[in-house]
């Protein structure tokens, strides 16, 4: 609740932010109201950034209340306002959260083209290739779309691959909701399979779902979130119901329903209500189940979440059939079958659109990654490209591959900058990059490490082979005509080389660097291989998962 005492404008904004932020607000209805107040206050204060962030928060609160189409409608202005924001900025993070919200709302409302468009835009963001949690975000959003469209197996594959790529990165809130996505997706696959499965795959899906749910429960102790406390508890209760553990399932479902009603999470509440109907059927309470589900169907109407309506009508059909009320069973089955056909039609239409744009989307993702991994001056790779290359060549990618690495440094480069100007220095670096590229092998990766230092990574190359190749490169540089330099100035480079083996992958850059400085001290314009002492004194480089 906001303060009733008069506040200064900054203090008022501060209280509104605290009340509107979905990360701290436990009541989506109250959060929406606070976010709308914040919109007005930010507009009055001419704070465009805060106004954009408040718009995103409105959409999130609408989604949590189950106001799906309203959330989609409200998202349009905020999406345009945030387009192009740098991914590592506060508004860039808000943009990614908005895209995830649109993907979820569109999926639940059956607006799959809208949902897929947001998910694909999220997947194309450069942050996805640089941040493990951003990659989880993108995978989760796309998987939700596919699951709601009926392709649970593709969705499950995407989620499991994203979790595997995340690996040993620190536990995070995105990991929590991605694990919950695995639970929901495995349950969806179970529903589509259990009546026709003869090979035990349906049972395996429940095991997968339960394992992910129990991991998510552990993360809830670290990343407490009232919405996901409901979602995870409701999903776990559903798994336990289908596994026949009805007493434990009842505890989870009752707790989830109570929590959902207390915080006003109507979409989650109705999903839990549908599961409670299934629980009553599993418990043999057919009449109670049918009455419960009929009320749920009436409450959902025609605008409730598509997947929840399908689940409610199907369970109502089962309860009515068990009681011998075949006319009511047929009525519910007819609605269930019509909703499934509509979902299938939307799935085919959206997949057709995806088929046309997939190549374009993949190309756009690759363009984003290319730009994110390029040095803007020389066109060589940057440290991000180096990190990805070292990770791929090291055991972190699964199988370690021997490689050599050369650290190249321009001799007397400071003199060029000081005496001839930085413009000439930059021109020399651009020209040097081209000389090295022309002399390198096709598999070599060349990156600008910093200043005039350039690294050449040579896969499947021994130290002896690298030494011979670097001698040829050194000669190329020495004999090259350098525009902008005095006629009597001969440009030379010093090169240090290290390789695996004998180096470990995380030591090879430092060992090559030490060898390069030894080449400088020995007179410059020469190639030197790292010694045992260089390797022993080398500093480990953190090879991060890209």
């Amino acid at each position: 609740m906001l303060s009733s005492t008069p506040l200064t404008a900054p203090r008022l904004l501060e209280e509104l932010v605290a009340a509107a932020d979905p990360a701290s607000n436990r009541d989506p209805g109250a959060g929406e109201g606070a976010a709308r107040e914040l919109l007005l206050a930010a507009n009055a204060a001419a704070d465009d950034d805060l106004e954009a962030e408040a718009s995103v928060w409105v959409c999130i609160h609408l989604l949590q209340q189950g106001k799906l189409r309203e959330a989609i409608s409200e998202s349009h202005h905020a999406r345009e306002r945030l387009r192009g924001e740098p991914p590592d900025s506060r508004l860039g993070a808000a943009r990614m959260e908005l895209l995830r919200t649109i993907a979820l709302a569109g999926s639940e409302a059956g607006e799959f083209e809208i949902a897929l468009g947001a998910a694909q835009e999220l997947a194309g963001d450069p942050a996805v290739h640089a941040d493990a949690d951003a990659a989880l975000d993108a995978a989760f959003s796309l998987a939700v779309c596919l699951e709601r469209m009926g392709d649970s197996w593709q969705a499950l594959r995407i989620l499991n691959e994203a979790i595997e790529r995340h690996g040993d990165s620190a536990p995070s809130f995105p990991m929590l909701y991605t694990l919950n996505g695995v639970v929901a997706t495995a349950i969806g696959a179970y529903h589509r399979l259990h009546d026709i499965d003869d090979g035990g795959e349906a049972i395996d899906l429940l095991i997968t779902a339960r394992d992910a749910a129990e991991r998510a429960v552990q993360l809830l102790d670290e990343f407490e979130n009232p919405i996901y406390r409901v979602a995870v508890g409701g999903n776990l209760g559903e798994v336990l119901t289908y596994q026949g553990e009805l007493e434990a399932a009842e505890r989870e479902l009752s707790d989830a329903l109570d929590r959902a009603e207390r915080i006003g999470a109507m979409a989650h509440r109705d999903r839990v209500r549908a599961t409670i109907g299934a629980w009553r059927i599993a418990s043999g309470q057919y009449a109670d189940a049918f009455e419960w589900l009929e009320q749920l169907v009436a409450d959902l109407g025609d605008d409730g979440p598509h997947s929840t309506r399908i689940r409610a009508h199907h369970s109502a059909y089962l309860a009515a059939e068990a009681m011998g009320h075949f006319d009511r069973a047929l009525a519910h089955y007819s609605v269930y079958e019509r909703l499934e056909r509509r979902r299938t039609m939307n799935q085919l239409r959206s997949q057709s659109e995806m088929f046309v744009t997939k190549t374009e989307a993949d190309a756009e993702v690759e363009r984003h990654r290319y730009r994110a991994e390029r040095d803007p001056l020389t066109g060589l790779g940057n440290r991000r490209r180096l990190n990805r290359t070292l990770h791929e060549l090291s055991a972190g990618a699964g199988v370690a591959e021997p490689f050599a690495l050369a650290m190249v440094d321009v001799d007397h480069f400071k003199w060029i900058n000081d005496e001839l100007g930085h413009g000439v220095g930059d021109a020399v670096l651009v020209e040097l990059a081209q000389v090295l590229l022309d002399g390198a092998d096709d598999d070599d990766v060349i990156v600008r490490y910093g200043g005039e230092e350039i690294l050449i990574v040579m896969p499947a190359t021994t130290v002896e082979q690298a030494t011979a190749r670097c001698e040829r490169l050194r000669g190329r540089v020495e004999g090259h005509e350098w525009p902008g330099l005095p006629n009597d100035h001969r440009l030379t480079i010093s090169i240090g080389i290290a390789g695996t083996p004998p180096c470990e992958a995380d030591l090879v850059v430092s060992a090559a660097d030490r060898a390069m400085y030894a080449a400088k001290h020995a007179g410059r314009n020469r190639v030197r291989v790292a010694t045992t002492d260089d390797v022993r004194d080398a500093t480990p480089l953190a090879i991060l998962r890209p």
Side-chain angles (χ1 to χ4, degrees):
M1 180 180 295
L2 299 182
S3 171
S4 60
T5 58
L7 297 171
T8 62
R11 177 70 185 284
L12 174 60
L13 286 176
E14 183 180 321
E15 287 207 2
L16 281 173
V17 167
D21 187 350
S24 58
N25 192 294
R26 296 172 179 270
D27 182 335
E32 180 198 348
R36 292 191 184 281
E37 277 193 66
L38 182 60
L39 267 175
L40 297 175
N43 179 268
D47 190 334
D48 293 341
D49 289 355
L50 185 57
E51 185 177 358
E53 195 165 39
S55 298
V56 174
W57 290 349
V58 168
C59 296
I60 294 171
H61 289 304
L62 288 170
L63 169 65
Q64 292 175 347
Q65 294 174 82
K67 300 176 180 178
L68 306 174
R69 288 180 172 79
E70 193 174 344
I72 294 170
S73 177
E74 292 269 1
S75 72
H76 296 316
H77 175 70
R79 190 173 183 179
E80 287 304 314
R81 164 65 182 81
L82 295 169
R83 196 178 298 278
E85 289 290 343
D88 57 350
S89 67
R90 189 182 85 179
L91 289 185
R95 172 179 166 270
M96 297 185 75
E97 186 67 20
L98 178 66
L99 290 172
R100 185 164 66 91
T101 300
I102 296 170
L104 292 173
S107 297
E108 291 292 352
E111 301 286 350
F112 296 124
E113 290 185 25
I114 292 173
L116 283 170
Q120 287 184 329
E121 185 178 338
L122 186 58
D125 197 293
V128 169
H129 306 289
D131 182 83
D133 286 341
L136 286 179
D137 245 343
F140 174 78
S141 300
L142 180 57
V144 168
C145 297
L146 293 172
E147 200 284 322
R148 291 296 186 252
M149 288 164 58
D151 195 349
S152 298
W153 286 267
Q154 177 82 333
L156 201 56
R157 180 187 65 79
I158 289 171
L159 289 170
N160 284 329
E161 287 180 356
I163 290 171
E164 183 178 351
R165 284 195 300 270
H166 194 273
D168 296 329
S169 299
S172 62
F173 183 56
M175 177 58 78
L176 167 61
Y177 56 69
T178 302
L179 285 169
N180 188 59
V182 171
V183 185
T185 302
I187 290 172
Y190 169 82
H191 276 284
R192 296 180 177 95
L193 192 65
H194 78 283
D195 286 337
I196 59 174
D197 176 42
D198 295 325
E201 184 182 351
I203 294 174
D204 291 340
L205 285 166
L206 291 180
I207 294 172
T208 296
R210 183 163 179 174
D211 176 68
E214 289 172 350
R215 290 175 62 189
V217 168
Q218 292 175 354
L219 286 179
L220 275 170
D221 294 335
E222 186 171 353
F223 303 98
E224 175 59 42
N225 181 282
I227 293 292
Y228 277 94
R229 183 69 72 175
V230 171
V232 172
N235 284 334
L236 178 56
E238 187 166 5
V239 173
L240 293 170
T241 296
Y242 301 141
Q243 289 185 323
E245 298 183 31
L246 298 181
E247 186 175 337
E250 183 181 22
R251 287 195 300 270
E252 293 290 345
L253 293 172
S254 297
D255 180 68
L257 182 63
D258 179 62
R259 289 176 182 272
E261 289 177 337
R262 278 192 280 117
I263 65 175
M266 297 300 110
H268 290 289
R269 180 203 64 181
D270 290 339
R271 172 63 182 256
V272 173
R273 289 171 69 192
T275 304
I276 290 175
W279 179 89
R280 291 184 176 185
I281 292 172
S283 302
Q285 304 172 32
Y286 304 120
D288 287 346
F290 185 72
E291 182 180 352
W292 176 272
L293 290 163
E294 286 251 291
Q295 184 60 56
L296 174 58
V297 165
D299 292 344
L300 288 169
D302 294 331
D303 294 324
H306 198 79
S307 60
T308 303
R309 292 175 64 208
I310 289 175
R311 193 72 54 82
H313 279 288
H314 186 259
S315 292
Y317 146 69
L318 293 176
E321 184 183 49
M323 292 188 298
H325 296 171
F326 298 116
D327 55 337
R328 297 300 302 148
L330 179 60
H332 281 290
Y333 188 84
S334 296
V335 178
Y336 157 75
E337 195 269 341
R338 185 170 67 251
L339 290 172
E340 276 285 22
R341 275 192 291 113
R342 183 183 303 167
R343 174 161 64 182
T344 301
M345 180 188 67
N346 288 341
Q347 177 187 8
L348 293 173
R349 180 185 295 137
S350 299
Q351 284 180 334
S352 175
E353 179 67 20
M354 281 183 71
F355 180 79
V356 173
T357 62
K358 185 178 187 304
T359 300
E360 297 173 349
D362 289 346
E364 182 63 20
V365 169
E366 188 58 34
R367 282 195 293 271
H368 276 302
R369 185 167 77 173
Y370 180 85
R371 288 194 293 268
E373 294 185 345
R374 291 296 107 185
D375 171 55
L377 175 64
T378 63
L380 299 175
N382 57 19
R383 290 198 180 204
R384 181 176 289 171
R385 179 69 172 96
L386 172 67
N387 182 74
R388 182 163 68 87
T389 300
L390 293 179
H391 181 269
E392 290 169 352
L393 293 174
S394 70
V399 179
E401 179 181 347
F403 66 94
L405 183 144
M407 176 75 78
V408 179
D409 189 84
V410 179
D411 295 330
H412 302 296
F413 188 73
K414 185 176 185 301
W415 178 87
I416 295 174
N417 276 336
D418 291 347
E419 297 298 322
L420 304 178
H422 287 276
V424 173
D426 286 349
V428 166
L429 290 176
V430 172
E431 186 78 7
L432 174 62
Q434 193 58 54
V435 171
L436 295 178
L437 286 168
D438 290 343
D441 282 6
D442 291 341
D443 291 337
D444 291 349
V445 176
I446 307 180
V447 304
R448 184 182 179 194
Y449 192 64
E452 71 275 20
E453 291 183 335
I454 294 174
L455 278 177
I456 306 174
V457 185
M458 294 168 272
T461 303
T462 66
V463 169
E464 292 75 16
Q465 292 169 330
T467 302
R469 286 166 57 183
C470 287
E471 281 289 358
R472 290 195 295 272
L473 287 175
R474 185 198 60 75
R476 270 177 173 263
V477 172
E478 186 177 18
H480 188 72
E481 295 287 336
W482 295 91
L485 296 184
N487 291 333
D488 60 346
H489 187 88
R490 185 183 63 166
L491 189 79
T492 63
I493 55 176
S494 297
I495 306 176
I497 297 174
T500 62
C503 271
E504 296 294 330
D506 62 341
L507 297 176
V508 70
V509 173
S510 179
D513 188 54
R514 297 179 71 85
M516 180 271 292
Y517 276 105
K520 294 260 189 196
H521 293 149
R524 295 183 173 85
N525 190 25
R526 63 194 65 214
V527 177
R528 185 181 183 280
V529 176
T531 65
T532 303
D533 289 343
D534 291 330
V535 175
R536 183 195 65 212
D537 296 335
T539 304
L541 175 74
I543 301 177
L544 303 176
R545 183 179 296 270

